[in-house]
Amino acid sequence: MRLRQTVRLLPLLPAVALLLVFLGGPILWAFYGSFTDAGLTGASARNPEWIGLDNYATLLTDPQFPHSLWLTFLFVLGSAVIGQNCLGLALALVMQRANRVVAAIVGTCVVAAWVLPEIVAAFIAYAFFFRDGMLNQLTGLAGLPVVDWLYEYPMLALVFANIWRGTAFSMMNYQAALNDVPPEITESATIDGAGGIQRLRFITLPMIKSSIATNLMLITLLTLGTFTLIYVVTSGGPLNASTTLPIMAYEQAFQYGDIGYGTAIAVVMLLIGAVFSIAYIRMLRERKD
Amino acid sequence: MRGIKKTFIALTVVGLALTGCSGDSSGEDSQTLLIAYKKADPVLESLMEDTKEQFEAANEGITVELSPIEGNDDDYATKLALSQRSPDTAPDVFVEDSFKLRADVDAGYVLALDEYLADWEDWDAFNETAKEAGTGDDGGIYAVPLEADTRVIWYNRNVLGAAGIELPWQPENWDDLLEMARTVKAANPDVVPFSMYAGTMQSFYELLYGTEDGALYDEDEQKWVVGSQGFIDSLDFLKTIYDEGLAVTPAQALDPNIWQEIVGDMLPQDRMGATVEGSYAPQFWQEGADYEWPEYGEVMATSPFPTQNGQEPGAVSMSGGWTLAVGAGSENPELAVDFVKMAMNFDNSLAYTVDASKIAVRNDVAETSEYQDMNPFAGEVTEVLEVSRYRPATADFAEIDTAVLTATQEVVAGGKSPEEAAADYDEALKRIVGEDNVIEK
């Protein structure tokens, strides 16, 4: 019996091996690298030395680190947890009832932003928000004063850009989830006299709770690692006002050539992602009980 | 994490590609030279292709393998550094940014060239300042300069003339700059009289290296300078031109794309008086260029950037540029150096320098009429090479450069006083190089 089970697992081996090499390998290497002074060039490039927790100690005293951590938190909370998640849910709910043509048009517009390659979306966001960009031309037509978004409110602009870019994912998740809510239950609630808000609160939301948790987990992880959008639109500026952790890690590793320190930042991001994932997974489990 | 992961994947792919390129040729067959350079530049590409042809004709049985690398300067540096980590992929000859050379020397990637160049007659024809680009911390030669650039003031004769400034304008100290800017501003409040970027190469270093004690690095002591009055004075100058509205707005100053607006719109449309730009500025305006401007030769003029109080040598400029270096692990160092010598012989150097509109690194090239006539400003911007300086591009320099940039931006747009920003820079510098490696001035 046991032998047969082992034999049945054999075909999985290549896949597991590939996963370990290409997914597990880089993570382990990142952990290892973060304990060394590995450099892209310079004296430590050829023979990196084991320096223990030095990189992490430096990170804790680096004035940029708490700043970047805070900006990353703002970015994830603002654009993913609140922005994409709530807007996605709202759109899914509204589109359920909307006229079919309207729903199709809105859906296409939202999904278009998601379909665009990230680099293209980032250039569009830049063209929209920059000083002489589309937003200021539009507000200018309405007689409003010019606001230099990328200079005065870079994080706000990035949060809006990421909401625009990513909402489609949440919307489609919620559309699928809402389709699974049996119409009879909602109907009977209506007959019992429940209004729209009450139906949403007591029937719809509890029934799609696991979708909410899954969606939150996925978009949190996606947003935590957003690099291209921020790098193209603001490059972390002005004056580090939008240097989130991925930008900081890139700067250290590739602009200053300090691979060890860069990977230490990447490991911290990995841990933050892991903590969020565990929290959401536990949320999912509780739901099932 | 997605960005990081992408970078990892990209790097792995590049690594594999490089291995693939050279795997079948290096190793057993030691009569192959692998040459790495940045692909983006067609003039450089044709230099490499021409030299390959000439070299293979002159040395029978030797194959030159060109390995162009795509990407911007940072990508190129990253990919080159990665390829140098393994002897299987390390190129024999590579085009090296003078900014990265010392770091790569520290890493042991670069061959010392002194003994190979000793018997090369042409080496005496190279400009002494330009040779600094290839000099290491220990004073040895590690690379042969391929090209150089300088930085001067480019001014618009129409704008200055309309404000009653006597032409040609020859500022002798910083006060002359401010006086011109204030005069132009009074005459025509709509133009930007004198702009300098909130940056380093095109602005802060011109100022710093023109002060009495101004330097980032003390070459004799091999220590970094902190507490320098010149540093504060330079920041103060930038603050003055931005506070008085003589330059572009602080928001524009922090926009990395502002140079396009300046060379593309403001100068050609007589909306800017003067700015500090590289010697390569005509490249933007020449026929067929992105910001083609047929009248640029008549409208624009140059002046060297003056020192703070007009003290010797009177003017200052910053230089950078690419060099040619030989890999420390090359199996045929003799041949590799021969390739470098051939690439930089008179004919090849002349063709490359003129086509690329760069500053000549060979004095004999600088004297030719082809070079002098390549654009109306070739002679003027080349003379400045005499007073030009290279950045102290040690392994830590990329990070120090960013600390300087932060100081200038904090003063221009962050509301900090020059004293505060200089103190912050000193702190950052100590953190980067260590307390023991700084010297109080």
Side-chain angles (χ1 to χ4, degrees), chain A residues 55-74 224 240 242-249 251-252 261-272, chain B residues 431:
Chain A
N55 280 329
Y56 294 95
T58 317
L59 193 57
L60 288 179
T61 56
D62 192 334
Q64 180 62 36
F65 178 64
H67 183 62
S68 288
L69 197 64
W70 170 243
L71 291 177
T72 312
F73 172 77
L74 280 183
L224 195 61
N240 286 335
S242 60
T243 304
T244 56
L245 288 174
I247 302 281
M248 186 185 172
E251 232 174 36
Q252 289 293 341
Y261 193 45
T263 37
I265 301 168
V267 167
V268 169
M269 283 194 290
L270 198 82
L271 295 179
I272 295 174
Chain B
R431 212 172 44 242

Side-chain angles (χ1 to χ4, degrees), chain A residues 39-43 45-46 63 118 126 131 148 151 222 225 227-228 238-239 252 254-256 269-270, chain B residues 1-3 6-7 11 78 81 85 103-104 106-109 251-252 254-255 257 398-399 402 409 413:
Chain A
L40 201 54
T41 177
R46 276 247 174 120
E118 194 171 5
Y126 177 78
R131 207 168 29 253
D148 196 336
Y151 178 68
L222 276 177
F227 175 80
T228 313
L239 280 172
Q252 289 293 341
F254 296 108
Q255 282 177 330
Y256 307 157
M269 283 194 290
L270 198 82
Chain B
M1 237 150 301
R2 208 151 44 117
K6 261 188 201 159
T7 316
L11 294 181
T78 305
R85 292 175 90 99
D104 282 352
D106 278 355
Y109 293 152
Q252 287 175 316
L254 262 57
D255 178 352
N257 299 317
E399 201 169 352
T402 307
Q409 295 184 338

Side-chain angles (χ1 to χ4, degrees), chain B residues 23-344:
Chain B
D24 50 357
S25 53
S26 66
E28 290 164 43
D29 181 6
S30 59
Q31 297 300 297
T32 298
L33 285 182
L34 182 65
I35 318 289
Y37 57 94
K38 200 178 100 182
K39 193 175 182 199
D41 180 352
V43 188
L44 179 62
E45 204 147 349
S46 62
L47 172 71
M48 290 300 161
E49 279 159 12
D50 292 348
T51 311
K52 170 187 156 82
E53 218 166 274
Q54 297 163 12
F55 194 80
E56 283 175 345
N59 298 275
E60 202 155 317
I62 290 165
T63 319
V64 173
E65 195 184 325
L66 298 181
S67 165
I69 297 176
E70 285 201 57
N72 60 27
D73 290 358
D74 280 339
D75 295 337
Y76 175 71
T78 305
K79 291 170 185 180
L80 184 63
L82 288 174
S83 75
Q84 282 163 329
R85 292 175 90 99
S86 156
D88 292 335
T89 54
D92 295 289
V93 175
F94 48 94
V95 172
E96 170 89 344
D97 195 338
S98 53
F99 186 67
K100 304 273 182 194
L101 179 72
R102 292 193 193 184
D104 282 352
V105 170
D106 278 355
Y109 293 152
V110 189
L111 186 75
L113 297 180
D114 298 81
E115 54 175 302
Y116 297 96
L117 298 180
D119 60 343
W120 189 34
E121 292 161 9
D122 290 24
W123 189 231
D124 294 334
F126 278 74
N127 181 288
E128 288 302 321
T129 308
K131 282 180 182 176
E132 267 180 51
T135 309
D137 283 329
D138 57 2
I141 301 289
Y142 288 89
V144 175
L146 181 63
E147 56 172 47
D149 50 28
T150 57
R151 274 141 191 89
V152 295
I153 299 175
W154 292 87
Y155 64 89
N156 181 312
R157 298 165 57 95
N158 296 344
V159 174
L160 266 62
I165 308 274
E166 196 184 326
L167 299 176
W169 177 56
Q170 291 285 2
E172 278 167 12
N173 51 46
W174 291 2
D175 287 337
D176 287 356
L177 300 176
L178 292 176
E179 196 192 308
M180 178 282 282
R182 287 169 185 149
T183 311
V184 171
K185 174 108 182 154
N188 186 354
D190 291 337
V191 304
V192 178
F194 181 68
S195 201
M196 292 174 84
Y197 300 104
T200 55
M201 252 331 236
Q202 251 89 284
S203 71
F204 185 78
Y205 295 150
E206 261 73 22
L207 292 162
L208 179 69
Y209 281 89
T211 60
E212 290 289 352
D213 57 355
L216 287 175
Y217 185 68
D218 187 320
E219 298 277 351
D220 299 330
E221 302 273 339
Q222 302 252 323
K223 284 185 193 308
W224 294 88
V225 176
V226 292
S228 128
Q229 185 60 39
F231 199 97
I232 297 174
D233 289 351
S234 307
L235 289 175
D236 198 47
F237 183 88
L238 285 178
K239 190 173 168 57
T240 306
I241 61 170
Y242 279 92
D243 282 1
E244 291 186 21
L246 304 175
V248 294
T249 65
Q252 287 175 316
L254 262 57
D255 178 352
N257 299 317
I258 185 65
W259 68 271
Q260 297 173 328
E261 209 174 319
I262 291 178
V263 303
D265 296 331
M266 293 179 147
L267 287 171
Q269 293 167 9
D270 295 345
R271 286 196 288 125
M272 178 175 276
T275 189
V276 180
E277 237 331 324
S279 51
Y280 42 77
Q283 262 184 308
F284 304 132
W285 300 317
Q286 276 162 358
E287 214 181 318
D290 286 351
Y291 307 103
E292 196 174 314
W293 179 19
E295 299 83 24
Y296 84 90
E298 290 91 61
V299 178
M300 294 304 292
T302 71
S303 161
F305 195 91
T307 52
Q308 186 174 13
N309 303 308
Q311 74 270 32
E312 285 298 310
V316 60
S317 157
M318 295 303 295
S319 285
W322 296 91
T323 66
L324 278 171
V326 175
S330 172
E331 288 176 30
N332 289 306
E334 201 75 48
L335 273 179
V337 176
D338 284 347
F339 183 88
V340 173
K341 289 176 181 171
M342 185 170 270
M344 290 311 295

Side-chain angles (χ1 to χ4, degrees), chain A residues 151-219:
Chain A
Y151 178 68
E152 287 172 48
Y153 312 103
M155 278 316 285
L156 196 62
L158 287 171
V159 164
F160 279 126
N162 198 42
I163 293 175
W164 163 72
R165 163 146 173 80
T167 299
F169 182 75
S170 298
M171 183 189 82
M172 289 184 288
N173 266 340
Y174 287 130
Q175 278 178 318
L178 289 176
N179 284 340
D180 286 345
V181 177
E184 307 88 57
I185 303 182
T186 334
E187 273 163 29
S188 49
T190 318
I191 293 164
D192 287 345
I197 305 235
Q198 283 172 318
R199 279 200 308 267
L200 177 68
R201 203 180 138 197
F202 295 112
I203 311 284
T204 316
L205 285 185
M207 292 197 78
I208 61 166
K209 259 181 181 171
S210 67
S211 294
I212 297 178
T214 315
N215 185 56
L216 276 176
M217 176 163 91
L218 290 173
I219 60 175

